[in-house]
């Protein structure tokens, strides 16, 4: 078959994907783990309610995983571990208050301090347009046909500033504190802040948000919900706790599945966390965005509005469903900028770790099935950082400090594209199913590789023979179309989308002169193939200059950021 | 035109069409002298290149041998004209569908006379596949050349030699094509070749280029994935589906994520948040058209984004796109352009190439012809022998089986006039007829109406020839067809201008061996004018300085009236043979005869007597009745014999006769004879006088120079006069001093 053959392209699948490697790449089992867990049964993780099994459990990190057995065993054990092995994280909680932030900044003093202040001023606090505000409407990836050019970013900035103004240190806090003081069910009477300034803790406690503490991130495909379950409730407090609040707590913490599609990622639960002076567990829950109406209905049924709580929500859905929340659930949403939340969430979660283990990890020898290891990564020097958030679409952010970041670009070829194309090509109906098929497929039957054209490496351009020259390039031939399986197509779709994201991320890292790239977002959930490919491709094409990093709570950072914002609201 | 035309399915090449009969004279022209073959076989199109020589009749002028002749006799011509055969080099490129490859090879075998050729350079993915067939048919050894090297060599060649090669594509604007004036320095640039995958190459010099990156999501992805999704097998059909679809039903848009709030947020709701994001719902049916459209957007956006990222990283703003995904398809040019504009925020422009399909073949040919040093010459697109860019609308352009490009090797290398203020922004032509529909209509009609007269003149110029009438008729048909093509596709040969219309006519005349239909007219006029010269000089010398300057300028302009190219004038000249110089002068206002001898030379003489050095540049080749360089040499010699000022100036090299390198009634100052350009620089010219409607009004009217300039002409066209706000025979006398 003769085809146009000018295609010397890179971004390939890792070399030599033998069937054995496919098997090994399939799931957790491929990575050596001290706690030998049975491989998950992806088919059972249905989001459509047919069979909701307990969620899978992630393997521990690497060979020398320092963490104890997985979190689900029991939370008491986890507490014990946290007490011993984990770092104490009280400071981090305080660190997230604006007051603390202000102190720290001024304490820096000198030039550095001034620079940081300038940066912060640049971050919109004083109305100076921040760099990222220039991004205008390209929050979303790509160009649809008739999109008008040069959309007005100013409005967005205003909204963002409105949201961020909520996080500024409250003025006249004593007045509001006294007003709060008379509330009946004010939470947090427990006084257990160990070593921080007692006075500050007192004042913080007074400003503390009422329970329940939720953070919501409503994306294009999935809704991510984080819920802080206080574990330090005193008997007195419990007595005062209204029934609806108790019922919410019980409902969320005693189930791992909600309705037919909601799932609590038990293995991600952060135990024994101290947040704003309260100790408790952080729960991670997700459900499809198309079930948002049912969720709002549940809020109405459970009488959320009576709790006088604030719902902090981010993601596009915070806007899309705002009216429904108000009219159906009688709930006022506090809408937050999704990129702000994402950054705040990721920095916070990284700082608290993962129940004593590292939050951030990387892959060593990602292409080598034998030697591949998932290893913890200490993100002690996080800046500058390229953050690649792969949800339905992809956003790429360059983060220079916790307040100084910009959206570099984005692409519409993201998780939604992978799943959407898989549905069309294979008839699958869940993300898990698509990934499971991909794990069994062979993309080289679908893609045209460099070696298919040149018989080997294309030395003129230094292209290895295993590199993909044309994604789906073999599918222009009828015979080959008839010879491929659905699994092969799923695999090729996954490889295509992943390589492309890697390629764009690498270019952005080069353009921004950043060498650590953190990939987050739910596309990476249970998606070891994609993570290893990203790790390999980034390393290979940058000749070892770029490092691909991943994070255990990959898709939940926006929701965590929203929760953190809630706690800043006076 | 369509890379994956009628046979673009996966099985192309298995069913070779042998029944086709080729019209030999029209496609593989000049095969008898052909040597140095090269072939580029792509997925569905084959491009064949060969070098050939063309025999042309040229009119040569020569002084009479015997100087003892009595030149005072009235009907004695000042010099003799002889028609000679001249051999010029020409590159031929033919593009056809792979199905015809065997028939074409057979045809070439039958017509190939030259036996020196032993090797054929081959490139493209299909070169390997057809290797045996080529070797068997042509008995030539196939030498495989690297695809990308050929592509880049070809790209450099067209960018350097073909004006208006690159264009930007703007949908919904008329015309959709915006041709770029060639930048004097073509490097560095980024070439994004979208074949089955995408290659991004940074080209820094003629020989240095670097593969900087690429993507596997390219034309093959569109085709392969499109075939899976829509069960449509052919590339062209997929594009057609895409052009009818709505991507919004398949893609997840910003407004799908944000609801109606995108407006209050200042977000564009139409932006794609996730390609195919809506297809992630089971049991939902999508139309083929919508899926194809979404796929096209996804791939175009992705390529555009990567191209922008690479352009940014390498600090390049010129990005050329090629490959079968682009190859003239308006749908893909449109989406790529949109994407580049979006991602670069207008900083990078997506450029496409008129001869993009030929790059590989040109490059392979150049590789094989290195010993002939083709890059040392300048080449020109032959409008008569080239098909031109096809229209984007299929109804105007039924799939052509063969597409041709011919390039003439120019006698001398060309260069920029060193005095141009900004060579990169210089546009020779005054009116862009692709842009100006009214002007286009007028000029096309004007050239149509003048065609009969040109045919008549051509026949009359060769009274001894038996086939002159027949050839003239062929010329008429050819030029008429070109004019009709240009009516529908004004962009076919780049920006349409009066100059290109004139040049096309000259090329067509040459094609049918009417090298210089006006040689006899010029000869006669020159004879008459030479006789008047002493009297004119005497009259001028008798005047005072100021009056003389005025008279000189009047003379310069009066001479310009004698222009056979201008309809108004030729009407007068045809009908009233007695119409003379005095009348012209009273009527007021580089043509041959009266213009150059009685207008230009007295003016030059005045400059010389002031002590000014003068370079007098005339056309290298004939165009209408414009004086040619060879004629100017004889005329100068004759005048020198009569006039001591001119005589001594020639002797002392204060008067230098040069050729412009042009064979057109118009003048492109960015493509001047290199010798002239060098001399201008060496002598430090500080005044440029451009005379004539073609050179000073149709072209160069707005040309900005670094030195003082004088542009003068008589408007010999009532329509143009009206347009410029004047009357017929109004005068242009434009003296410009460059701004400090």
């Amino acid at each position: 078959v003769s085809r146009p053959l000018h295609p010397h392209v890179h971004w390939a699948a890792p070399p030599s994907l033998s069937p054995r490697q496919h098997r090994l790449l399939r799931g957790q089992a491929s990575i050596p783990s001290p706690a030998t867990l049975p491989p998950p049964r992806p088919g059972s993780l249905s989001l459509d309610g047919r069979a909701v099994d307990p969620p899978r459990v992630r393997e521990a990190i690497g060979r020398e995983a320092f963490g104890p057995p997985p979190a689900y065993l029991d939370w008491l054990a986890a507490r014990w571990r946290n007490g011993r092995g984990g770092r104490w994280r009280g400071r981090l909680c305080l660190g997230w208050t604006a007051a603390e932030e202000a102190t720290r900044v001024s304490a820096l003093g000198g030039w550095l301090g001034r620079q940081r202040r300038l940066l912060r001023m640049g971050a919109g606090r004083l109305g100076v347009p921040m760099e990222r505000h220039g991004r205008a409407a390209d929050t979303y990836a790509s160009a649809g046909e008739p999109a008008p050019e040069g959309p007005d970013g100013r409005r967005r900035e205003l909204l963002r500033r409105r949201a961020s103004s909520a996080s500024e240190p409250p003025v006249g806090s004593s007045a509001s504190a006294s007003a709060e003081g008379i509330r009946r069910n004010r939470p947090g009477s427990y006084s257990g802040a160990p070593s921080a300034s007692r006075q500050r803790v007192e004042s913080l406690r007074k400003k503390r948000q009422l329970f329940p503490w939720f953070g919501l991130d409503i994306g294009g495909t999935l809704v991510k919900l984080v819920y802080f379950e206080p574990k330090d409730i005193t008997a007195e407090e419990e007595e005062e706790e209204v029934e609806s609040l108790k019922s919410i707590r019980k409902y969320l913490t005693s189930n791992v599945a909600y309705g037919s599609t909601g799932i609590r990622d038990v293995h991600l639960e952060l135990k024994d966390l101290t947040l704003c002076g309260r100790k408790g567990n952080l729960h991670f829950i997700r459900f499809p965005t198309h079930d948002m109406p049912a969720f709002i209905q549940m809020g109405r049924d459970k009488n959320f509005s009576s709790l006088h709580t604030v719902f902090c929500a981010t993601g596009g859905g915070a806007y899309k469903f705002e009216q429904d929340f108000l009219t159906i659930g009688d709930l006022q949403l506090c809408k937050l900028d999704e990129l702000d939340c994402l950054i705040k969430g990721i920095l916070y979660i990284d700082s608290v770790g993962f129940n004593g283990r590292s939050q951030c990890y990387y892959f060593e020898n990602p292409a080598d099935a034998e030697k591949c290891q998932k290893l913890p990564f200490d993100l002690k020097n996080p800046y500058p950082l390229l953050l690649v958030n792969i949800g339905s679409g992809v956003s790429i952010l360059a983060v220079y400090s916790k307040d100084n970041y910009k959206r570099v670009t984005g692409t519409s070829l993201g998780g939604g594209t992978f799943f959407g194309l898989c549905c069309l090509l294979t008839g699958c109906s869940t993300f898990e199913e698509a990934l499971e098929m991909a794990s069994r497929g062979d993309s080289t039957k679908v893609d045209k590789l460099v070696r298919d054209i040149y018989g080997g490496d294309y030395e003129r351009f230094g292209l290895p023979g295993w590199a993909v020259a044309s994604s789906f390039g073999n599918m222009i031939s009828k015979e080959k179309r008839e010879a491929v399986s659905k699994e092969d197509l799923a695999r090729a779709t996954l490889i295509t989308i992943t390589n492309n994201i890697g390629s764009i991320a690498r270019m952005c890292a080069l353009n921004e002169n950043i060498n650590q790239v953190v990939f987050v977002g739910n596309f990476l959930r249970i998606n070891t193939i994609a993570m290893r490919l990203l790790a390999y491709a980034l390393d290979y094409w940058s000749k070892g200059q770029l490092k691909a990093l991943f994070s255990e709570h990959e898709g939940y950072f926006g929701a965590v950021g929203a929760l953190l914002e809630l706690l800043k609201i006076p | 035109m369509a890379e994956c035309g009628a046979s673009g399915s996966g099985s192309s090449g298995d069913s070779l069409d042998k029944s086709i009969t080729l019209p030999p004279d029209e496609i593989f022209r000049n095969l008898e002298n052909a040597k140095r073959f090269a072939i580029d076989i792509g997925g569905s199109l084959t491009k064949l290149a060969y070098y050939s020589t063309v025999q042309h009749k040229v009119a040569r002028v020569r002084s009479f041998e015997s100087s003892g002749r009595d030149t005072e006799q009235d009907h004695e011509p000042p010099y003799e004209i002889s028609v000679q055969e001249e051999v010029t080099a020409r590159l031929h490129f033919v593009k056809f569908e792979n199905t015809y490859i065997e028939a074409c090879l057979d045809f070439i075998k039958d017509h190939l006379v030259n036996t020196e050729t032993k090797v054929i350079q081959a490139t493209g993915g299909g070169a390997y596949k057809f290797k045996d067939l080529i070797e068997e048919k042509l008995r030539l050894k196939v030498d495989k050349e690297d695809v990308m090297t050929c592509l880049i060599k070809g790209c450099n060649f067209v960018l350097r030699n073909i004006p208006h090669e690159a264009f930007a594509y703007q949908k919904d604007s008329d015309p959709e094509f915006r041709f770029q004036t060639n930048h004097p320095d073509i490097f560095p640039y980024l070439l994004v070749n979208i074949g089955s995958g995408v290659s991004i190459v940074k080209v820094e010099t003629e020989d240095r280029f670097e593969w900087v990156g690429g993507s596997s999501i390219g034309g093959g992805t569109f085709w392969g994935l499109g075939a899976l999704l829509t069960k449509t097998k052919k590339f062209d059909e997929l594009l057609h589906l895409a052009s009818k679809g709505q991507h919004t039903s398949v893609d997840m848009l910003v407004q799908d994520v944000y609801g109606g709030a995108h407006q209050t947020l200042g977000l564009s709701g139409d932006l794609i948040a996730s390609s195919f994001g809506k297809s992630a719902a089971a049991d939902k049916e999508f139309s083929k058209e919508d899926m194809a459209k979404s796929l096209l957007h996804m791939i175009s956006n992705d390529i555009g984004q990567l191209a922008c990222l690479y352009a940014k990283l390498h600090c390049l703003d010129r990005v050329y796109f090629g490959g079968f995904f682009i190859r003239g398809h308006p749908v893909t040019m449109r989406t790529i352009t949109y994407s580049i504009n979006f991602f670069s925020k207008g900083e990078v422009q997506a450029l496409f190439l008129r001869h993009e399909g030929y790059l590989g073949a040109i490059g392979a040919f150049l590789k094989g012809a290195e010993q002939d040093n083709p890059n040392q010459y300048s080449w020109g697109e032959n409008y008569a022998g080239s098909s031109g860019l096809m229209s984007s609308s299929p109804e105007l352009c039924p799939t052509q089986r063969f597409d041709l490009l011919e390039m003439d090797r120019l006698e001398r290398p060309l260069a920029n006039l060193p005095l141009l203020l900004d060579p990169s922004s210089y546009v020779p032509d005054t009116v862009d007829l692709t842009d100006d529909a009214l002007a286009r209509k007028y000029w096309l009609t004007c050239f149509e109406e003048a065609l009969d007269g040109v045919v008549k003149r051509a026949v009359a110029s060769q009274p001894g020839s038996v086939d002159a009438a027949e050839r003239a008729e062929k010329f008429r048909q050819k030029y008429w067809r070109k004019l009709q093509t240009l009516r529908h596709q004004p962009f076919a040969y780049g920006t349409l201008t009066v100059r290109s219309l004139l040049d096309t006519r000259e090329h067509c005349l040459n094609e049918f061996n009417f090298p210089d239909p006006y040689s006899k007219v010029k000869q006669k006029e020159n004879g008459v004018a030479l006789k008047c010269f002493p009297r004119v000089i005497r009259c001028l010398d008798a005047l005072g300085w100021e009056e003389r300057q005025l008279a000189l300028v009047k003379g310069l302009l009066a001479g310009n009236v004698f222009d056979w190219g201008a309809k108004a004038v030729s009407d007068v000249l045809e009908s009233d043979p007695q119409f003379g110089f005095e009348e012209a002068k009273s009527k007021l206002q580089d043509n041959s005869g009266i213009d150059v001898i009685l207008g230009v030379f007295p003016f030059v003489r005045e400059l010389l007597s002031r002590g000014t050095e003068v370079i007098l540049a005339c056309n290298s080749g004939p165009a209408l009745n414009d004086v040619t360089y060879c004629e100017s040499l004889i005329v100068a010699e004759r005048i020198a014999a009569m006039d001591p000022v001119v005589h001594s100036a020639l002797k002392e090299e204060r008067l230098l006769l040069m050729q412009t390198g042009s064979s057109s009634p118009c003048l492109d100052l960015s493509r001047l004879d290199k010798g002239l350009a060098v001399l201008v620089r060496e002598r430090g010219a500080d005044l440029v006088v451009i005379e004539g409607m073609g050179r000073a009004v149709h072209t160069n009217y707005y040309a900005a120079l670094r030195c003082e300039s004088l542009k003068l002409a008589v408007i010999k066209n009532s329509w143009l006069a009206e347009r410029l706000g004047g009357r017929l025979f109004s005068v242009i006398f434009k003296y410009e001093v460059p701004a400090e």
Side-chain angles (χ1 to χ4, degrees), chain B residues 529-570:
Chain B
L530 277 170
K531 283 192 182 65
C532 300
F533 183 77
R535 187 163 51 87
V536 170
I537 292 297
R538 269 198 306 279
C539 292
L540 286 168
D541 282 349
L543 298 169
W545 187 85
E546 212 170 305
E547 288 165 305
R548 192 165 68 244
Q549 307 309 310
L550 198 62
L552 280 167
V553 170
K554 276 187 180 173
L556 205 52
L557 292 163
N560 193 233
V561 174
F562 289 84
D563 176 2
W564 284 89
K567 194 171 170 293
V569 181
S570 63

Side-chain angles (χ1 to χ4, degrees), chain A residues 45 164 166 221 229 326 366 394 443 489 543:
Chain A
L45 290 173
S164 71
T221 311
E229 172 204 6
L326 197 62
V394 182
S443 63
L489 292 172
K543 301 190 173 69

Side-chain angles (χ1 to χ4, degrees), chain A residues 278-519:
Chain A
R278 297 301 302 253
K279 270 182 186 289
N281 297 343
L282 199 54
H283 298 274
F284 298 86
I285 296 160
R286 61 185 150 88
F287 59 90
T289 305
H290 61 72
D291 284 333
M292 204 59 211
F295 178 81
I296 296 170
Q297 189 59 46
M298 182 192 78
R300 180 197 176 104
D301 299 344
K302 303 241 176 221
N303 210 7
F304 272 25
S305 58
S306 69
L307 294 169
H308 307 289
T309 190
V310 181
F311 256 92
C312 276
T314 185
Y319 296 90
K320 186 178 180 178
F321 296 102
E322 183 184 18
Q323 201 55 38
D324 289 349
F325 267 98
L326 197 62
T327 52
I328 300 170
D330 192 24
L331 287 165
Q332 178 80 45
L333 281 193
C334 171
K335 303 189 295 294
L336 297 162
D337 183 273
E338 58 182 289
L339 301 182
D340 282 344
C341 288
L342 176 67
I343 304 253
K344 294 206 161 78
I346 198 166
L347 293 175
Y348 173 75
I349 290 288
D350 183 69
S351 70
V352 299
F354 183 21
N355 298 329
R357 288 180 280 147
S358 174
Q359 175 63 227
C360 193
Y361 60 92
Y362 70 102
F363 289 93
E364 196 155 276
N365 305 313
D368 188 325
E370 300 293 326
K371 294 186 200 153
C372 179
Q373 285 186 62
K374 180 180 163 187
L375 296 173
F377 186 84
D378 186 0
L379 202 62
K380 59 179 180 290
N381 296 315
Y383 311 115
L385 177 81
L386 197 74
L387 184 58
V388 182
N389 185 30
I390 317 173
S392 311
V394 182
S395 274
I396 300 180
L397 288 77
V399 189
Y400 300 102
S401 76
K402 81 186 181 65
D403 309 298
N404 182 21
Y405 68 89
K406 64 174 179 180
R407 185 176 187 279
V408 180
T409 189
T411 165
S412 68
L413 284 83
T417 314
F418 162 67
F419 184 37
L421 280 174
C422 272
C423 289
L424 293 173
L425 293 171
T426 70
C428 69
S429 51
T430 66
F431 181 70
E432 289 78 2
E433 193 183 343
L435 280 182
E436 197 274 332
M437 284 176 111
S439 72
R440 288 185 283 119
D442 177 2
S443 63
T444 63
K445 289 183 182 160
V446 180
D447 295 339
K448 190 175 272 181
L449 306 188
V450 168
R451 66 164 177 257
D452 296 335
I453 300 168
Y454 296 100
D457 298 350
Y458 186 35
E459 280 157 20
R460 180 78 180 76
F461 286 157
L463 285 172
W466 51 261
V468 183
S470 174
S471 295
F472 289 86
N474 280 340
M475 296 298 92
I476 61 178
S477 138
K478 187 166 175 279
E479 301 83 67
K480 289 186 177 163
R481 278 202 297 276
E482 284 162 359
V484 293
S485 67
K486 287 182 171 184
E487 286 77 9
D488 297 337
L489 292 172
R491 177 72 164 214
T493 310
L494 182 59
I495 299 292
T496 302
I497 299 297
T498 307
N499 267 334
N500 190 60
I501 293 168
S503 180
I504 292 171
R506 184 177 69 96
M507 288 307 294
C508 291
L510 278 174
N511 273 327
E512 301 299 325
N513 200 20
I514 295 175
N515 60 20
Q516 47 188 5
V517 185
V518 178
F519 292 92

Side-chain angles (χ1 to χ4, degrees), chain A residues 156-172:
Chain A
R156 188 161 165 74
E157 185 194 342
L158 284 173
L159 276 161
R160 203 202 71 84
R161 212 183 303 152
R162 204 190 305 151
S164 71
S165 71
S167 65
E168 280 174 36
V171 183

